Amino acid sequence: MSSGNHHFVEDKKLARIIVVTSGKGGVGKTTTSAAIAMGLAKKGHKTAVIDFDVGLRNLDLIMGCERRVVYDFINVINGEASLRQALIKDKRCNKLFILPASQTRDKEALTQEGVGKVLKDLSKEFKYIVCDSPAGIERGAHLAMYFADDAFVVTNPEVASVRDSDRMLGILASKSRRAENNKEPIKEYLLLTRYSPKRVESGEMLSVEDVQDILSLDLLGVIPDSKSVLNASNSGTPVILNKESSAGQAYSDVVSRYLGEDKPHRFINKEKKGLFNKIFRTKQWAY
Amino acid sequence: MGLLDYFRTSQQSSASLAKERLQILVAHERTSRNQPSYLPRLQQEILAVIQKYVEVEDNAISINYEQDDNQEMLELNITLPENHTKNH
C-alpha cells in the first residue's frame, strides 16, 4: 500500500475513522452504520464496523450476524480474545468485518486506552473503520467519536433531533483527540434521515435547507423515509443492498459522495406524478 | 375572533415555527457552550462585592462573553439604582 497519498500520511496510519453519531436515539445511527460500512466494502475498501453500544448491542442484528457472535469488543479490550477471533466476516462481502458490542459487560469496561489500542490495531489492516455510536453523551458515545477523523451526524427533520445534533457538534469540536492535540478538527457531515418530501412541501416538516441553516453543516445526503428500512432490519440485510429502494439508493449516493464522487442529491423533492406514474407506480417509491 | 383568527394563525406552517424556535434555542445554547465554566461563579462573586457598597438587586448584573479569532471580550453590565449613593 502506498503511503504517499493525502490525509493518511498525517497520522502515519491507513485507516480513516468515521463516527456515526446523533445524540438522540432512534434517528437511524445503526441503520446508517450498517449501510455505509457495507457500501464502502462493496466499493472494494476493507472496512470494519464497530458497535459501541455496550449492553444494548444491535448492529449484529441489523447486519444479520447475531447468531455468529462469539467474542466481542470488550473481550478484545480485556485481552480475552484476539481481534481476529472477535471480528465477524460478512457473508455477503468479504471486505467487511463486524466487531459486536458486549451484551452483558458493564459499560465501565470500555476504556479510552483500550478503544485506542483496538482502533490502532485495526488501522493496520483496514481502510475504513465505522464507529456506530450509542445514543446520549455518556462514555460509549464519547469514545465512539474521540478517535474519529470524520463524523456523520445523523439527524431527523424534527426539533429534538436537530437540537441534539447541534449539541453533538459542540462535543465533536471540543472533546476529541483531534481537538485535544490541536490537530485539524473532525470533518463533520450532515446526514438527514427519515425525510418526507411530501410533508416538507405541505409545511409540516423541516426542509433540508432549514436544517442546514440551523446546523451549517456540509450535506452528505438525504435518506427518504422508506418502508424498505424496516424490511431491511427485519431480515438483517443492510438497506443499501436493496437496489430497488429509495433509501438504499440514497445510501449508495452517500458512500459515493463521501469517496469524492460528484452525485447530485436525490429524493429531496416530491415526486412529480405524471400520467405515466399515476398508472404505473414507479418501483422506486413502491418499495 | 373565530374564523378570521383561525386563518391568520394557520398561516404559519408548523415547520417554520419549528425552524424559528430552533434558531433561537441553538444560538443561545452555542453562546453558553463557548463560555468559560467559571463565568457563573465570577458573576456571583462580583455581585457580592458590589452589594457590599451599593444596594442592587440580584439581577442587576449581566455578564456577556464574546470570542472571535483574536480576542476574548468580557462585558460586565451593572444597573445601579437611581438613589444608590444616598446610603454612603
Side-chain angles (χ1 to χ4, degrees), chain A residues 5 23 47 51 70 102 113 118 132 148 154 206 222 230 239 280 282:
Chain A
N5 54 356
T47 304
D51 191 347
V70 182
S102 167
E113 197 194 352
V118 171
D132 181 22
V154 182
L206 290 163
V222 176
L230 183 58
V239 69
F280 309 98
T282 48

Side-chain angles (χ1 to χ4, degrees), chain A residues 203-233:
Chain A
E204 348 170 89
M205 184 181 270
L206 290 163
S207 69
V208 188
E209 293 80 17
D210 290 340
V211 179
Q212 273 190 287
D213 278 354
I214 296 159
L215 296 179
S216 9
L217 275 183
D218 280 346
L219 180 68
L220 192 59
V222 176
I223 313 298
D225 196 17
S226 162
K227 289 176 182 169
S228 58
V229 174
L230 183 58
N231 283 324
S233 77

Side-chain angles (χ1 to χ4, degrees), chain A residues 158-159 162-163 166-167 169-170 203-206 209-210 213-216, chain B residues 12-23 25-27 29-30 33:
Chain A
E158 171 270 321
V159 286
V162 174
R163 179 202 210 168
D166 190 67
R167 178 104 169 81
L169 292 175
E204 348 170 89
M205 184 181 270
L206 290 163
E209 293 80 17
D210 290 340
D213 278 354
I214 296 159
L215 296 179
S216 9
Chain B
Q12 187 176 30
S13 70
S14 72
S16 64
L17 189 61
K19 187 182 183 184
E20 240 179 73
R21 291 173 61 214
L22 272 170
Q23 276 175 324
L25 180 71
V26 164
E29 288 184 340
R30 277 185 193 165
R33 178 195 303 163

